[in-house]
Amino acid sequence: METKRHQYLLNVVFLAGLLLLALNDHVFKGAYGNRWTGKLSDFAGVLILPLFLAYVFRVGKRTAVAATVILFTTFKSGYSQAMIDAWNGLGLFHLGRVVDYSDLLAFVVLPLSYRVLSRPEGYALPLQFPRQISRYALLPLTLVFFVATSPPDSYIIIGPEIGSCCQEPPAIDSLGGGRLFIPTAFTPDGDGLNDRFQVIADEGIARIDTFFVISLVDGDTVFRAENVTDISPATGWDGSDAGVTEASNYQFDIRLSAVDGSRRTYRGYVCALPCREPTGMARPVNLEVCGFADEIDLSTIFSDSLTTSEILDCFVE
């Protein structure tokens, strides 16, 4: 194993994956930013991560592949947000991502990673290079490209933009013996109507276990609440990010518990649409199907038959 360990990095598959990761993050996303360039880095990173782990930690091929699945799945889930926030709080370098489980499709490249780990000499470079290159050049270069991803604006392409808000319906669901509603839009403009992004629930829902709102610009958490038993507008998000409220789209990750102990996590997007004054922005094409908090009435029965009272005349037709 030791005699060929350097070949985990010094092979055509690893170097091609590393080059693709670097070009996609720092060239392709800026020039051709779309959903495909958003996914390409995931495929390249998943391809080379098992080889990197096998080289650094001297683990077997099965362990390296299994560790890749665990690490990537955790990073792409909402469970990693607290760790990401803690790391960013250190001020060393910014780490961000958007929760998107379709990124797990990148696992289709793992059989190739496994094959290279089984026979790295079969993918070795045609030219002979000193083993020290893998340790002193490729290893730090790989670390840089793993963490130095594209500029923050590239994250916008992963989630829907403000012009295409409300592509998914609001969550209207039963959990245990309770009912709940999570809107897809709100208007943080201080007029007393739909000012906060909130969970609406009846007495069958006991608690909001975790409530995250995540920026699609840089992947930072802009709102966080835990163990909320007062499920009301007062415990929702007021739409401000670092003291600034703007028309934008955000990702949410909300875990709820019912009185009977049932639990469920809801993930999606919510549009903040402050309308204090003309925004100069084009009217979102799906605005008529956005779900607002005032469209639900819990006073008698849980009904979604109401229509919003919002008058959104601040957008350009």
Side-chain angles (χ1 to χ4, degrees):
M1 177 69 72
E2 177 62 28
T3 58
K4 62 180 182 181
R5 180 168 151 258
H6 67 286
Q7 292 179 341
Y8 290 153
L9 303 187
L10 286 173
N11 65 76
V12 293
V13 173
F14 183 89
L15 292 176
L18 184 64
L19 179 62
L20 180 60
L21 179 65
L23 287 175
N24 189 61
D25 276 345
H26 299 280
V27 179
F28 298 156
K29 283 184 179 180
Y32 316 105
N34 55 46
R35 176 170 285 276
W36 297 110
T37 56
K39 301 294 183 188
L40 197 55
S41 291
D42 296 323
F43 282 83
V46 168
L47 175 65
I48 66 176
L49 183 56
L51 305 173
F52 177 81
L53 294 175
Y55 177 85
V56 173
F57 298 103
R58 300 172 184 263
V59 295
K61 52 192 177 185
R62 291 187 177 88
T63 301
V65 170
T68 296
V69 171
I70 294 171
L71 289 172
F72 189 75
T73 302
T74 301
F75 182 69
K76 287 293 182 176
S77 75
Y79 298 109
S80 64
Q81 192 62 45
M83 293 182 288
I84 292 173
D85 291 342
W87 173 263
N88 290 339
L90 298 177
L92 299 177
F93 59 83
H94 189 275
L95 187 64
R97 61 88 183 82
V98 172
V99 177
D100 184 352
Y101 287 104
S102 66
D103 292 342
L104 302 185
L105 290 172
F107 289 152
V108 299
V109 302
L110 285 176
L112 177 57
S113 306
Y114 187 88
R115 183 177 177 86
V116 177
L117 286 169
S118 300
R119 293 187 61 254
E121 64 278 1
Y123 299 88
L125 295 172
L127 301 176
Q128 294 296 318
F129 291 93
R131 296 185 183 184
Q132 288 79 4
I133 289 181
S134 59
R135 178 179 301 174
Y136 299 113
L138 277 182
L139 190 60
L141 194 63
T142 304
L143 283 171
V144 168
F145 287 131
F146 270 145
V147 299
T149 55
S150 50
D153 284 347
S154 66
Y155 285 99
I156 296 175
I157 66 174
I158 301 177
E161 298 176 354
I162 190 69
S164 56
C165 286
C166 307
Q167 291 186 336
E168 299 176 358
I172 305 173
D173 198 18
S174 299
L175 178 60
R179 297 290 306 279
L180 63 102
F181 175 77
I182 301 176
T184 54
F186 69 115
T187 54
D189 49 22
D191 66 355
L193 182 63
N194 302 317
D195 282 338
R196 288 176 175 263
F197 175 48
Q198 62 181 104
V199 175
I200 302 172
D202 62 15
E203 65 277 1
I205 305 300
R207 182 177 63 253
I208 301 175
D209 298 316
T210 55
F211 189 159
F212 291 102
V213 180
I214 302 163
S215 169
L216 292 176
V217 175
D218 54 20
D220 282 346
T221 298
V222 299
F223 177 77
R224 175 178 180 174
E226 299 180 16
N227 299 317
V228 177
T229 56
D230 175 21
I231 305 178
S232 68
T235 54
W237 178 46
D238 65 2
S240 65
D241 179 7
V244 177
T245 303
E246 60 183 356
S248 188
N249 209 1
Y250 297 87
Q251 189 172 42
F252 66 80
D253 187 301
I254 300 172
R255 184 170 178 81
L256 302 175
S257 289
V259 172
D260 69 356
S262 303
R263 292 184 176 181
R264 190 169 299 157
T265 299
Y266 299 87
R267 298 184 177 95
Y269 298 95
V270 61
C271 272
L273 302 170
C275 262
R276 300 188 189 94
E277 56 189 27
T279 63
M281 300 179 67
R283 184 180 180 87
V285 294
N286 296 319
L287 191 58
E288 284 71 20
V289 297
C290 288
F292 291 92
D294 68 330
E295 295 181 81
I296 288 291
D297 181 12
L298 291 179
S299 61
T300 53
I301 59 173
F302 203 105
S303 171
D304 60 344
S305 61
L306 303 178
T307 57
T308 182
S309 299
E310 286 287 356
I311 302 176
L312 297 172
D313 55 2
C314 56
F315 296 99
V316 177
E317 295 291 345

